[in-house]
């Protein structure tokens, strides 16, 4: 069987797809290790077994390289995910801080609005008080004027004997 496979391999220009693999390669290597026993392997058979081992090593290296590359990619992706997670956490914290700041600013604005309303009410109250005091002052001034005019009516009657003028001043 080994001889047939060796001939087929040589006929097809040593095509790698025809190399021994798995159990067949192990059996061929055992035969190669027993080179002092009969039947002896031909040079072509030895080359075929060695080429099969080299192909197996090459496949193992490719598989190992692919697994290593996959592992490197997985590690890089894990690092990227970790960095993205930290960035997301930082942005979430920034958003929470901004939200807290906005709530504080809103509260301050509401407090300022309430304070402004209180001041507006006080100003209206002060204006109303001032208006009442103005009206009271005007009324007191009018009363004082009326008393002065009434007080002048008696001396006018005594000096000029003008009772009509004195009566008008008293009425005024």
């Amino acid at each position: 069987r080994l001889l047939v496979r060796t001939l087929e391999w040589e006929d097809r220009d040593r095509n790698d797809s025809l190399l021994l693999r798995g159990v067949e390669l192990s059996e061929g290597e055992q035969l190669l290790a027993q080179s002092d026993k009969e039947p002896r392997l031909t040079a072509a058979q030895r080359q075929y077994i060695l080429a099969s081992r080299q192909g197996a090593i090459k496949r193992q290296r490719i598989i190992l390289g692919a697994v290593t590359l996959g592992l490197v990619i997985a590690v890089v992706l894990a690092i990227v995910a970790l960095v993205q997670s930290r960035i997301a956490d930082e942005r979430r914290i920034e958003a929470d801080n901004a939200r807290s700041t906005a709530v504080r600013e809103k509260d301050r604005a509401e407090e300022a609005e309430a304070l402004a309303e209180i001041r507006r009410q006080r100003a209206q109250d002060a204006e109303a008080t001032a208006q009442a005091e103005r009206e009271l002052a005007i009324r007191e001034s009018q009363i004082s004027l009326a008393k002065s005019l009434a007080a002048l009516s008696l001396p006018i009657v005594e000096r000029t004997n003008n009772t009509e003028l004195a009566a008008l001043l008293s009425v005024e």
Side-chain angles (χ1 to χ4, degrees), residues 121-137:
Q121 187 63 37
R122 284 182 183 170
Q124 287 175 350
D125 292 347
E127 187 178 336
T129 301
Q131 181 65 29
E133 287 176 358
R134 255 191 316 274
E135 289 173 2
L136 179 63

Short mmCIF file of all heavy atoms in Angstrom, two decimals, residues 121-137:
data_model
loop_
_atom_site.label_atom_id
_atom_site.label_comp_id
_atom_site.label_asym_id
_atom_site.label_seq_id
_atom_site.Cartn_x
_atom_site.Cartn_y
_atom_site.Cartn_z
N GLN A 121 -43.64 91.38 44.86
CA GLN A 121 -44.76 91.56 45.78
C GLN A 121 -44.43 92.63 46.82
O GLN A 121 -45.28 93.47 47.13
CB GLN A 121 -45.08 90.22 46.48
CG GLN A 121 -46.32 90.24 47.32
CD GLN A 121 -47.58 90.50 46.51
OE1 GLN A 121 -47.72 90.05 45.40
NE2 GLN A 121 -48.49 91.29 47.07
N ARG A 122 -43.17 92.61 47.31
CA ARG A 122 -42.76 93.63 48.28
C ARG A 122 -42.80 95.02 47.65
O ARG A 122 -43.20 96.00 48.28
CB ARG A 122 -41.36 93.33 48.81
CG ARG A 122 -41.33 92.19 49.81
CD ARG A 122 -39.94 91.98 50.33
NE ARG A 122 -39.89 90.84 51.24
CZ ARG A 122 -38.78 90.31 51.68
NH1 ARG A 122 -37.61 90.79 51.29
NH2 ARG A 122 -38.81 89.29 52.51
N ALA A 123 -42.35 95.09 46.39
CA ALA A 123 -42.36 96.38 45.69
C ALA A 123 -43.80 96.88 45.52
O ALA A 123 -44.07 98.08 45.70
CB ALA A 123 -41.67 96.25 44.34
N GLN A 124 -44.70 95.97 45.18
CA GLN A 124 -46.11 96.36 45.05
C GLN A 124 -46.67 96.82 46.39
O GLN A 124 -47.41 97.81 46.46
CB GLN A 124 -46.94 95.19 44.49
CG GLN A 124 -46.70 94.91 43.03
CD GLN A 124 -47.45 93.66 42.55
OE1 GLN A 124 -48.00 92.91 43.34
NE2 GLN A 124 -47.45 93.47 41.24
N ASP A 125 -46.29 96.08 47.46
CA ASP A 125 -46.76 96.46 48.80
C ASP A 125 -46.19 97.83 49.18
O ASP A 125 -46.91 98.68 49.73
CB ASP A 125 -46.33 95.42 49.84
CG ASP A 125 -47.06 94.09 49.66
OD1 ASP A 125 -48.06 94.05 48.91
OD2 ASP A 125 -46.62 93.09 50.28
N ALA A 126 -44.90 98.04 48.88
CA ALA A 126 -44.28 99.33 49.20
C ALA A 126 -44.93 100.45 48.39
O ALA A 126 -45.15 101.56 48.90
CB ALA A 126 -42.78 99.27 48.91
N GLU A 127 -45.25 100.16 47.12
CA GLU A 127 -45.92 101.18 46.29
C GLU A 127 -47.31 101.50 46.84
O GLU A 127 -47.70 102.67 46.89
CB GLU A 127 -46.02 100.66 44.85
CG GLU A 127 -46.55 101.68 43.88
CD GLU A 127 -46.60 101.15 42.45
OE1 GLU A 127 -45.86 100.20 42.12
OE2 GLU A 127 -47.40 101.68 41.67
N ALA A 128 -48.01 100.45 47.26
CA ALA A 128 -49.34 100.67 47.83
C ALA A 128 -49.24 101.48 49.13
O ALA A 128 -50.05 102.40 49.38
CB ALA A 128 -50.04 99.34 48.09
N THR A 129 -48.25 101.17 49.95
CA THR A 129 -48.05 101.91 51.21
C THR A 129 -47.69 103.36 50.90
O THR A 129 -48.22 104.29 51.54
CB THR A 129 -46.92 101.24 52.03
OG1 THR A 129 -47.29 99.89 52.31
CG2 THR A 129 -46.68 101.97 53.34
N ALA A 130 -46.80 103.55 49.93
CA ALA A 130 -46.42 104.91 49.56
C ALA A 130 -47.62 105.69 49.03
O ALA A 130 -47.79 106.88 49.37
CB ALA A 130 -45.30 104.88 48.52
N GLN A 131 -48.46 105.05 48.24
CA GLN A 131 -49.66 105.72 47.71
C GLN A 131 -50.60 106.09 48.86
O GLN A 131 -51.14 107.21 48.87
CB GLN A 131 -50.38 104.79 46.71
CG GLN A 131 -51.61 105.39 46.08
CD GLN A 131 -51.30 106.61 45.20
OE1 GLN A 131 -50.23 106.72 44.64
NE2 GLN A 131 -52.23 107.54 45.14
N ALA A 132 -50.75 105.16 49.80
CA ALA A 132 -51.61 105.45 50.95
C ALA A 132 -51.04 106.60 51.77
O ALA A 132 -51.78 107.48 52.23
CB ALA A 132 -51.78 104.20 51.81
N GLU A 133 -49.72 106.61 51.96
CA GLU A 133 -49.09 107.69 52.72
C GLU A 133 -49.22 109.02 51.98
O GLU A 133 -49.40 110.08 52.59
CB GLU A 133 -47.63 107.35 53.01
CG GLU A 133 -47.47 106.27 54.06
CD GLU A 133 -46.02 105.86 54.29
OE1 GLU A 133 -45.12 106.39 53.59
OE2 GLU A 133 -45.79 105.00 55.14
N ARG A 134 -49.09 108.99 50.63
CA ARG A 134 -49.27 110.21 49.84
C ARG A 134 -50.69 110.75 50.00
O ARG A 134 -50.89 111.95 50.21
CB ARG A 134 -49.01 109.90 48.36
CG ARG A 134 -47.70 110.40 47.82
CD ARG A 134 -47.59 110.33 46.31
NE ARG A 134 -48.07 109.11 45.68
CZ ARG A 134 -47.35 108.01 45.52
NH1 ARG A 134 -46.10 107.98 45.93
NH2 ARG A 134 -47.86 106.96 44.95
N GLU A 135 -51.65 109.84 49.91
CA GLU A 135 -53.05 110.26 50.05
C GLU A 135 -53.32 110.81 51.44
O GLU A 135 -54.02 111.82 51.61
CB GLU A 135 -53.98 109.07 49.74
CG GLU A 135 -53.99 108.69 48.27
CD GLU A 135 -54.78 107.41 48.00
OE1 GLU A 135 -55.36 106.83 48.94
OE2 GLU A 135 -54.81 106.99 46.82
N LEU A 136 -52.70 110.17 52.46
CA LEU A 136 -52.86 110.64 53.83
C LEU A 136 -52.22 112.03 53.98
O LEU A 136 -52.80 112.93 54.60
CB LEU A 136 -52.24 109.64 54.80
CG LEU A 136 -52.31 110.00 56.28
CD1 LEU A 136 -53.78 110.08 56.74
CD2 LEU A 136 -51.57 108.98 57.13
N ALA A 137 -51.04 112.20 53.39
CA ALA A 137 -50.36 113.49 53.47
C ALA A 137 -51.17 114.58 52.78
O ALA A 137 -51.29 115.71 53.30
CB ALA A 137 -48.96 113.39 52.86
#
